[in-house]
Amino acid sequence: MVRSPRFFGLLLLAHALCLAAGCTGRTDQETPAFATVIDDAGREVRVATEPARVVSLIPATTEMVLALGAGDRLVARTDYDRYPEIAHLPSVGQGLTPSIEWLIAQRADLVIAWPDGQARSVVGRLTELGIPVYGARIETLDDVASTIRRLGALLGRREAADSLVAAIDADLAAVRRAVAGRERPRVFYVVGYDPAMTAGPSTFLDELIDVAGGTNIFGDGPAGWPQVSLEEAIRRRPDILLLPQGEGNVGPARLGRMPGWRELEAVREGRIQIVDANTAHRPGPNIGKVARELARLLHPGLAVEEATP
Amino acid sequence: MTRAAPVHLVVLAVAAACALVASIAFGAAGLRPAEVVAALLGTGDETARTIVLQLRLPRAALAALVGGGLALSGAIFQALLRNPLAEPYLLGVSGGAAVGAVTATALGWAALSPAAVPVAAFVGALVAIVLVFRIAAVVGRSLDTRVLILAGVVVGAFFNAVILLLLTFVDVETFRSAVFWMMGGLGAASWPAVLVLGGYLVPAAIVLLALARPLNLIAIGEETALYLGTRVERVKWVAFLVASLLVSTSVAFSGVIGFIGLIVPHAVRLVWGADHRFLLPASILAGAIFLLATDTVARTIAAPAELPVGVVTALIGVPIFVVLLTRRPL
């Protein structure tokens, strides 16, 4: 047996690699799944049984789980989730660096996280250890609906998901009807002030401004959440500034004194409206309410009928 | 080397073993000691086994390897460059690695294979090393350490600018991943990472420890070392390259963890003296102890969240170092 030491070494290596890959007898590919969906990272997410211990690391998806009537299955929250129903749960911090071993100890059977796709990632490590991870990347209003549907499928709440999506659609349609035919003010949505950041096309906020009867002045700008120059903002002559508060943004009084910003006519004339960042910046089940609120800010005195899906 | 030195090494080795045990015993999951022991023996609850064997053990091993490797390369850089501010990332390795990692993330390679980001980071670090040493070699036939430091600093600055440029064009998600990567941490330690880093650290440490005597002479002065029969150029090249590769490997798996490579060798020198035959092995052990201890704190103190380990290394390390410095001036 001249070759046995080498063979033993190979065996050891194979074992180590197998250990690393997490293939320690947990291949449940054969058993029928409770639900299977494709997440936003393009990966197949498969839960063997109905998830009973769920961790959502993104505020918007936490809201979805709550709205789907599965809030009692959440076993943790992030610092940003302050709803009374889940305020008693332990917080995993900001959601980017939860303790993996704590999640395992909690026997979490579904984790909803940003799809980070990184080598040193929470998603990758949890997946290796056999925990289903749904990667959510929600940018547009369509993304909100499709995420609600897929989470509904995973959680065994398909009907709740369908009626939630229908309610949101009805809300958005009611707002659209109410502002139809009105003059559309030119809106500068101030995501950040130093540097100036706004909502570009392919974002839910750009779409919500449109639904609420406004014209996003950077609706033809770079997609996503671009930094923009104030010169360009002044050139585009916004009628109104929407200033989200609650995430450490500058207040309207200070903005009015800042060089560059005070050059905007809308700022000089006090046409600044405050938006609650903790609601408006979450592409979740509340986008219908956000659309109503934006419509109210852009069209004072507007009456939006109650939606009946 | 004083006669007490072997005793000190034994003391450090025992302390390192204790730090290793502590970092396996403590964690956010709050397992009882009996559960940890059962998991180590392969019995007991499956959840506990997963936590101990798949999470705590590889993470503790990686912490020991990264901590030891960074402290060792820090000691080498300080000796070769004869500069107290020398540290493992001085020669642009961290900037190169970050460019590699950000590129791999931005181009979506990260999604293809879990090895993509570490490999890209390692390649980036190699590019930085090649650039720095090419610049130094063009300037003079012998390796001038002043040129090397300046080349390292400017190459590092250039790569940092490249990172900022790349980050301006990527989407929010890539931005978040990249910033997260650059913070450094041991969060996703796994057995392949331990095997690769260990497989490189052990031979690298043997080579570098074998250079302890010539390093003693070079630390006094290159001319003196030359007169005393040291092949200064060869020692410098070998030590620089081996140490740089060591840093590159550790950056590939854990990102940039600052402070250890700068402070641990100084602390060892302050307490026990500057003989490299002792300083190098002692730095490996002290670096391992320090990162094991600080990572245990980072994992547990804010549980179930985790703190970035770099924050903890500085918050705990600076006060300790100031005490050492004021008691025994350099």
Side-chain angles (χ1 to χ4, degrees), chain A residues 163-213:
Chain A
S163 56
L164 182 57
V165 170
I168 292 172
D169 285 345
D171 254 344
L172 296 178
V175 175
R176 271 203 188 92
R177 274 197 303 278
V179 298
R182 287 182 173 252
E183 200 183 328
R184 300 173 73 83
R186 299 173 56 77
V187 178
F188 181 17
Y189 195 98
V190 185
V191 174
Y193 70 101
D194 187 22
M197 267 179 76
T198 191
S202 321
T203 64
F204 64 98
L205 277 172
D206 175 67
E207 292 176 79
L208 285 176
I209 290 168
D210 180 62
V211 170

Side-chain angles (χ1 to χ4, degrees), chain A residues 16 19-20 26 91-93 96-102 104-105 107 114-121 125 129 137 225, chain B residues 27-29 45-47 51 54-56 105 110 117-118 172-173 176-177 180-181 185 188-189 192 253 255 304-306:
Chain A
L19 217 65
R26 262 214 201 175
S91 169
V92 292
L96 278 178
T97 52
S99 165
I100 296 175
E101 73 163 67
W102 187 84
I104 302 268
R107 296 168 196 275
W114 307 102
D116 47 8
Q118 277 276 334
R120 286 207 331 270
S121 79
R125 202 74 186 97
L129 295 169
R137 181 194 294 134
W225 310 96
Chain B
D45 172 46
E46 191 183 336
T47 308
I51 290 173
Q54 303 291 339
L55 293 168
R56 289 194 191 171
T105 314
V117 172
V172 184
E173 193 182 300
R176 188 170 39 232
S177 306
F180 179 62
W181 187 90
F253 289 112
E306 284 186 7

Side-chain angles (χ1 to χ4, degrees), chain A residues 5-303:
Chain A
R6 183 184 293 172
F7 176 74
F8 181 71
L10 276 176
L11 201 71
L12 207 69
L13 187 71
H15 179 68
L17 288 175
C18 185
L19 217 65
C23 52
T24 45
R26 262 214 201 175
T27 44
D28 49 8
Q29 258 342 321
E30 305 308 315
T31 55
F34 174 73
T36 307
V37 301
I38 305 293
D39 74 0
D40 294 326
R43 294 172 320 131
E44 189 182 86
V45 184
R46 191 166 174 285
V47 288
T49 53
E50 184 167 343
R53 305 185 60 77
V54 180
V55 177
S56 160
L57 300 174
I58 311 170
T61 53
T62 309
E63 286 180 357
M64 290 179 188
V65 175
L66 288 168
L68 289 170
D72 55 340
R73 305 193 209 164
L74 292 169
V75 294
R77 61 180 182 98
T78 69
D79 288 349
Y80 303 113
D81 302 314
R82 303 204 183 93
Y83 312 99
E85 306 96 291
I86 54 170
H88 64 282
L89 295 175
S91 169
V92 292
Q94 303 194 331
L96 278 178
T97 52
S99 165
I100 296 175
E101 73 163 67
W102 187 84
L103 293 177
I104 302 268
Q106 290 299 309
R107 296 168 196 275
D109 49 13
L110 176 63
V111 175
I112 306 163
W114 307 102
D116 47 8
Q118 277 276 334
R120 286 207 331 270
S121 79
V122 174
V123 176
R125 202 74 186 97
L126 284 172
T127 310
E128 279 168 21
L129 295 169
I131 294 188
V133 185
Y134 178 95
R137 181 194 294 134
I138 314 170
E139 292 292 350
T140 64
L141 296 184
D142 283 345
D143 292 346
V144 174
S146 80
T147 305
I148 289 174
R149 286 222 168 82
R150 282 176 285 170
L151 290 183
L154 283 177
L155 293 167
R157 309 282 301 171
R158 284 174 200 270
E159 282 169 28
D162 286 339
S163 56
L164 182 57
V165 170
I168 292 172
D169 285 345
D171 254 344
L172 296 178
V175 175
R176 271 203 188 92
R177 274 197 303 278
V179 298
R182 287 182 173 252
E183 200 183 328
R184 300 173 73 83
R186 299 173 56 77
V187 178
F188 181 17
Y189 195 98
V190 185
V191 174
Y193 70 101
D194 187 22
M197 267 179 76
T198 191
S202 321
T203 64
F204 64 98
L205 277 172
D206 175 67
E207 292 176 79
L208 285 176
I209 290 168
D210 180 62
V211 170
T215 303
N216 181 4
I217 58 165
F218 287 104
D220 61 343
W225 310 96
Q227 281 182 29
V228 292
S229 84
L230 278 175
E231 269 180 42
E232 188 59 23
I234 291 166
R235 202 182 67 76
R236 293 182 181 219
R237 302 178 61 85
D239 299 312
I240 185 168
L241 263 70
L242 290 181
L243 188 63
Q245 298 281 286
E247 283 179 347
N249 207 342
V250 67
R254 238 190 93 206
L255 198 68
R257 291 194 300 271
M258 290 171 86
W261 289 96
R262 65 181 175 214
E263 268 47 82
L264 284 161
E265 203 180 294
V267 172
R268 273 205 309 276
E269 296 177 5
R271 281 179 275 131
I272 302 178
Q273 293 287 357
I274 303 299
V275 178
D276 176 23
N278 287 321
T279 323
H281 289 184
R282 290 186 187 175
N286 292 323
I287 49 175
K289 293 189 193 74
V290 176
R292 275 166 191 277
E293 174 67 7
L294 292 185
R296 199 182 59 77
L297 295 173
L298 299 181
H299 303 280
L302 177 85

Side-chain angles (χ1 to χ4, degrees), chain B residues 305-328:
Chain B
E306 284 186 7
L307 296 180
V309 70
V311 173
V312 183
T313 54
L315 281 182
I316 296 184
V318 169
I320 296 177
F321 186 71
V322 169
V323 169
L324 288 176
L325 192 61
T326 47
R327 286 224 184 129
R328 312 178 187 209

Side-chain angles (χ1 to χ4, degrees), chain B residues 88-104:
Chain B
Y89 307 122
L90 186 68
L91 298 187
V93 169
S94 57
V99 169
V102 174
T103 309

